[in-house]
Amino acid sequence: MEPEPNITVRPNGPYLVGGGVPISRRHVVTSELDEPLDWQTGERLETKPMIALCRCGGSQSKPLCDGTHAHVGFTDH
């Protein structure tokens, strides 16, 4: 039996997503003038029992957390 999907917000850290929720990268589609027009779904990431998603915006592996929040002093308030 699969665990229930769930999200836990870590204080000053990432979103922890559990329950095997499917995750995909998305990219902005822009016009010739570099204006955002739409989103394009890209690669699907491997589903794991628990995934940490970036909340600080600084991760080099978005949407996944790479620990950057600890180095840039991210706070959630």
Side-chain angles (χ1 to χ4, degrees):
M1 187 165 99
E2 290 281 325
E4 277 292 310
N6 61 82
I7 300 173
T8 302
V9 181
R10 297 288 303 161
N12 303 324
Y15 297 109
L16 298 180
V17 181
V21 176
I23 305 285
S24 298
R25 292 189 196 277
R26 297 190 79 194
H27 308 280
V28 176
V29 177
T30 57
S31 70
E32 302 83 32
L33 301 174
D34 205 30
E35 300 167 313
L37 298 174
D38 201 356
W39 288 95
Q40 180 179 33
T41 300
E43 73 177 292
R44 189 164 180 170
L45 304 175
E46 179 184 350
T47 300
K48 298 179 180 178
M50 182 70 64
I51 296 174
L53 297 179
C54 177
R55 192 160 64 115
C56 74
S59 174
Q60 295 300 306
S61 60
K62 290 182 200 122
L64 303 176
C65 174
D66 66 3
T68 298
H69 61 276
H71 303 289
V72 298
F74 173 76
T75 61
D76 54 14
H77 45 265

